[in-house]
Coordinates of all heavy atoms in Angstrom, one line a residue:
Chain A
F1013 N -50.8 18.8 -13.8 CA -49.8 19.6 -14.4 C -48.8 18.8 -15.2 O -48.4 19.1 -16.3 CB -49.1 20.5 -13.4 CG -47.9 21.2 -13.9 CD1 -48.0 22.3 -14.8 CD2 -46.6 20.7 -13.7 CE1 -46.8 22.8 -15.3 CE2 -45.5 21.2 -14.2 CZ -45.6 22.3 -15.0
Y1014 N -48.3 17.7 -14.5 CA -47.2 16.9 -15.1 C -47.7 16.2 -16.4 O -47.0 16.2 -17.4 CB -46.6 15.9 -14.1 CG -45.7 16.6 -13.2 CD1 -45.9 16.6 -11.8 CD2 -44.5 17.2 -13.6 CE1 -45.0 17.3 -10.9 CE2 -43.7 17.9 -12.8 CZ -43.9 17.9 -11.4 OH -43.1 18.5 -10.6
V1015 N -48.9 15.7 -16.4 CA -49.5 15.1 -17.6 C -49.6 16.1 -18.7 O -49.1 15.9 -19.8 CB -50.9 14.5 -17.3 CG1 -51.6 14.1 -18.6 CG2 -50.8 13.3 -16.3
V1016 N -50.1 17.3 -18.4 CA -50.3 18.4 -19.4 C -48.9 18.8 -19.9 O -48.7 19.0 -21.1 CB -51.0 19.5 -18.8 CG1 -50.8 20.8 -19.6 CG2 -52.5 19.2 -18.7
A1017 N -47.9 18.9 -19.0 CA -46.6 19.4 -19.4 C -46.0 18.4 -20.3 O -45.3 18.7 -21.4 CB -45.7 19.7 -18.2
A1018 N -46.1 17.1 -20.0 CA -45.5 16.0 -20.9 C -46.1 16.1 -22.2 O -45.4 16.0 -23.3 CB -45.7 14.7 -20.2
V1019 N -47.5 16.2 -22.3 CA -48.2 16.3 -23.6 C -47.6 17.5 -24.4 O -47.3 17.4 -25.6 CB -49.7 16.4 -23.4 CG1 -50.4 16.7 -24.7 CG2 -50.2 15.1 -22.9
A1020 N -47.5 18.6 -23.7 CA -47.1 19.8 -24.4 C -45.7 19.7 -24.9 O -45.4 20.1 -26.1 CB -47.1 21.0 -23.4
V1021 N -44.7 19.1 -24.1 CA -43.4 19.0 -24.6 C -43.3 18.1 -25.8 O -42.6 18.3 -26.8 CB -42.4 18.6 -23.4 CG1 -41.1 18.2 -24.0 CG2 -42.3 19.7 -22.4
A1022 N -44.0 16.9 -25.7 CA -44.0 16.0 -26.8 C -44.6 16.6 -28.1 O -44.0 16.5 -29.1 CB -44.9 14.7 -26.4
A1023 N -45.7 17.4 -27.9 CA -46.3 18.0 -29.1 C -45.4 19.1 -29.7 O -45.2 19.2 -30.9 CB -47.6 18.6 -28.7
A1024 N -44.7 19.8 -28.8 CA -43.7 20.8 -29.3 C -42.6 20.2 -30.0 O -42.2 20.7 -31.1 CB -43.2 21.7 -28.1
L1025 N -42.1 19.1 -29.5 CA -41.0 18.4 -30.2 C -41.4 17.9 -31.6 O -40.7 18.1 -32.6 CB -40.5 17.2 -29.4 CG -39.5 17.6 -28.2 CD1 -39.2 16.4 -27.4 CD2 -38.3 18.2 -28.8
K1026 N -42.7 17.4 -31.6 CA -43.2 16.9 -32.9 C -43.4 18.1 -33.9 O -43.1 18.0 -35.1 CB -44.5 16.2 -32.7 CG -44.5 14.8 -32.2 CD -43.8 13.9 -33.2 CE -44.8 13.4 -34.3 NZ -44.1 12.5 -35.2
M1027 N -43.8 19.3 -33.3 CA -44.0 20.5 -34.1 C -42.8 20.9 -34.8 O -42.8 21.3 -36.0 CB -44.6 21.6 -33.2 CG -45.1 22.8 -33.9 SD -45.0 24.2 -32.9 CE -43.7 25.1 -33.7
V1028 N -41.6 20.9 -34.1 CA -40.4 21.4 -34.7 C -39.7 20.4 -35.6 O -38.7 20.7 -36.3 CB -39.4 22.0 -33.7 CG1 -40.0 23.2 -33.1 CG2 -39.0 21.0 -32.7
T1029 N -40.2 19.1 -35.6 CA -39.5 18.1 -36.4 C -40.4 17.6 -37.5 O -39.9 16.9 -38.4 CB -39.1 16.9 -35.5 OG1 -40.2 16.5 -34.7 CG2 -37.9 17.3 -34.6
T1030 N -41.7 17.8 -37.5 CA -42.6 17.2 -38.5 C -42.3 17.7 -39.9 O -41.8 18.8 -40.0 CB -44.1 17.4 -38.1 OG1 -44.9 16.7 -39.1 CG2 -44.4 18.8 -38.1
K1031 N -42.6 16.9 -40.9 CA -42.3 17.3 -42.2 C -43.6 17.9 -42.9 O -43.5 18.2 -44.1 CB -41.8 16.1 -43.0 CG -40.5 15.5 -42.6 CD -39.6 15.4 -43.8 CE -38.2 15.0 -43.3 NZ -37.4 16.1 -42.9
N1032 N -44.6 18.0 -42.2 CA -45.9 18.4 -42.7 C -46.3 19.8 -42.1 O -46.5 19.9 -40.9 CB -46.9 17.3 -42.4 CG -48.2 17.6 -43.2 OD1 -48.7 18.7 -43.3 ND2 -48.8 16.5 -43.6
V1033 N -46.5 20.8 -42.9 CA -46.7 22.1 -42.4 C -48.0 22.2 -41.6 O -48.1 22.8 -40.5 CB -46.7 23.2 -43.5 CG1 -46.9 24.6 -42.9 CG2 -45.4 23.1 -44.3
V1034 N -49.1 21.5 -42.2 CA -50.4 21.6 -41.5 C -50.3 20.9 -40.2 O -50.9 21.3 -39.2 CB -51.5 21.0 -42.4 CG1 -52.8 21.0 -41.8 CG2 -51.5 21.7 -43.8
H1035 N -49.6 19.7 -40.2 CA -49.5 19.0 -38.9 C -48.8 19.8 -37.9 O -49.1 19.8 -36.7 CB -48.7 17.7 -39.1 CG -49.5 16.6 -39.8 ND1 -49.1 15.4 -40.0 CD2 -50.8 16.7 -40.3 CE1 -50.0 14.6 -40.6 NE2 -51.1 15.4 -40.8
A1036 N -47.8 20.6 -38.3 CA -47.0 21.5 -37.4 C -48.0 22.5 -36.7 O -48.0 22.7 -35.5 CB -45.9 22.2 -38.1
A1037 N -48.9 23.0 -37.5 CA -49.9 24.0 -37.0 C -50.8 23.3 -36.0 O -51.1 23.8 -34.9 CB -50.7 24.6 -38.1
L1038 N -51.2 22.0 -36.3 CA -52.1 21.3 -35.4 C -51.4 20.9 -34.1 O -52.0 20.9 -33.0 CB -52.7 20.1 -36.1 CG -53.6 20.5 -37.3 CD1 -54.1 19.2 -38.0 CD2 -54.7 21.4 -36.9
Y1039 N -50.1 20.6 -34.2 CA -49.3 20.3 -33.0 C -49.2 21.5 -32.1 O -49.3 21.4 -30.9 CB -47.9 19.7 -33.3 CG -47.9 18.3 -33.7 CD1 -47.4 17.8 -34.9 CD2 -48.4 17.3 -32.8 CE1 -47.4 16.5 -35.2 CE2 -48.4 16.0 -33.1 CZ -47.9 15.6 -34.4 OH -47.9 14.3 -34.7
L1040 N -49.0 22.7 -32.8 CA -49.0 23.9 -32.0 C -50.3 24.1 -31.2 O -50.3 24.6 -30.1 CB -48.7 25.1 -32.9 CG -48.5 26.4 -32.1 CD1 -47.3 26.4 -31.3 CD2 -48.5 27.6 -33.0
L1041 N -51.4 23.7 -31.9 CA -52.7 23.8 -31.2 C -52.7 23.0 -29.9 O -53.2 23.5 -28.9 CB -53.8 23.2 -32.2 CG -55.2 23.7 -32.0 CD1 -55.3 25.1 -32.5 CD2 -56.1 22.8 -32.8
V1042 N -52.1 21.8 -29.9 CA -52.0 21.0 -28.7 C -51.2 21.7 -27.6 O -51.6 21.8 -26.5 CB -51.4 19.6 -29.0 CG1 -51.3 18.8 -27.8 CG2 -52.3 18.9 -30.0
V1043 N -50.1 22.3 -28.1 CA -49.2 23.0 -27.1 C -49.9 24.1 -26.5 O -49.9 24.3 -25.3 CB -47.9 23.4 -27.8 CG1 -47.0 24.2 -26.8 CG2 -47.1 22.3 -28.4
L1044 N -50.6 24.9 -27.3 CA -51.3 26.1 -26.8 C -52.4 25.8 -25.8 O -52.6 26.4 -24.8 CB -51.8 26.9 -28.0 CG -50.8 27.5 -28.9 CD1 -51.5 28.3 -30.1 CD2 -49.9 28.5 -28.2
S1045 N -53.1 24.7 -26.1 CA -54.2 24.3 -25.2 C -53.6 23.8 -23.9 O -54.2 24.0 -22.8 CB -55.2 23.3 -25.8 OG -54.6 22.6 -26.8
S1046 N -52.4 23.1 -24.0 CA -51.8 22.6 -22.7 C -51.3 23.8 -21.9 O -51.4 23.8 -20.7 CB -50.6 21.7 -23.1 OG -51.0 20.8 -24.0
V1047 N -50.8 24.9 -22.6 CA -50.4 26.0 -21.8 C -51.6 26.7 -21.2 O -51.5 27.1 -20.0 CB -49.7 27.0 -22.8 CG1 -49.5 28.3 -22.1 CG2 -48.4 26.4 -23.3
A1048 N -52.8 26.7 -21.9 CA -54.0 27.2 -21.2 C -54.3 26.4 -20.0 O -54.7 27.0 -18.9 CB -55.2 27.2 -22.2
A1049 N -54.2 25.1 -20.0 CA -54.4 24.3 -18.9 C -53.5 24.6 -17.7 O -53.9 24.6 -16.6 CB -54.3 22.8 -19.3
T1050 N -52.2 24.9 -18.1 CA -51.3 25.3 -17.1 C -51.7 26.6 -16.4 O -51.5 26.7 -15.2 CB -49.9 25.5 -17.7 OG1 -49.6 24.4 -18.5 CG2 -48.8 25.6 -16.7
Y1051 N -52.2 27.5 -17.2 CA -52.7 28.8 -16.6 C -53.8 28.5 -15.6 O -53.9 29.1 -14.5 CB -53.3 29.7 -17.6 CG -52.3 30.2 -18.6 CD1 -52.7 30.9 -19.8 CD2 -51.0 30.1 -18.4 CE1 -51.8 31.4 -20.7 CE2 -50.0 30.6 -19.3 CZ -50.5 31.2 -20.5 OH -49.6 31.7 -21.4
I1052 N -54.7 27.5 -15.9 CA -55.8 27.1 -14.9 C -55.2 26.6 -13.6 O -55.6 27.0 -12.5 CB -56.7 26.0 -15.6 CG1 -57.4 26.6 -16.8 CG2 -57.7 25.5 -14.5 CD1 -58.6 27.3 -16.5
V1053 N -54.1 25.7 -13.8 CA -53.5 25.2 -12.5 C -52.9 26.4 -11.7 O -53.0 26.3 -10.5 CB -52.3 24.2 -12.9 CG1 -51.5 23.8 -11.7 CG2 -52.9 23.0 -13.6
L1054 N -52.4 27.4 -12.4 CA -51.8 28.6 -11.7 C -52.9 29.5 -11.2 O -52.6 30.6 -10.6 CB -50.8 29.3 -12.6 CG -49.5 28.5 -12.8 CD1 -48.7 29.1 -13.9 CD2 -48.7 28.6 -11.5
G1055 N -54.2 29.3 -11.5 CA -55.2 30.1 -11.0 C -55.4 31.4 -11.8 O -56.1 32.3 -11.3
A1056 N -54.9 31.4 -13.1 CA -55.1 32.6 -13.9 C -56.2 32.2 -14.9 O -55.9 31.9 -16.1 CB -53.8 32.9 -14.6
E1057 N -57.5 32.3 -14.5 CA -58.6 31.9 -15.3 C -58.8 32.8 -16.5 O -59.1 32.3 -17.6 CB -59.8 31.7 -14.5 CG -60.1 33.0 -13.6 CD -61.1 32.7 -12.5 OE1 -61.1 31.6 -12.0 OE2 -61.8 33.6 -12.2

Side-chain angles (χ1 to χ4, degrees):
Chain A
F1013 167 77
Y1014 282 117
V1015 169
V1016 160
V1019 169
V1021 169
L1025 281 174
K1026 284 294 280 182
M1027 190 204 108
V1028 293
T1029 51
T1030 181
K1031 294 233 176 274
N1032 188 321
V1033 183
V1034 181
H1035 284 186
L1038 297 179
Y1039 280 124
L1040 183 68
L1041 204 71
V1042 176
V1043 179
L1044 294 178
S1045 27
S1046 310
V1047 171
T1050 312
Y1051 294 167
I1052 296 276
V1053 173
L1054 286 164
E1057 47 195 35

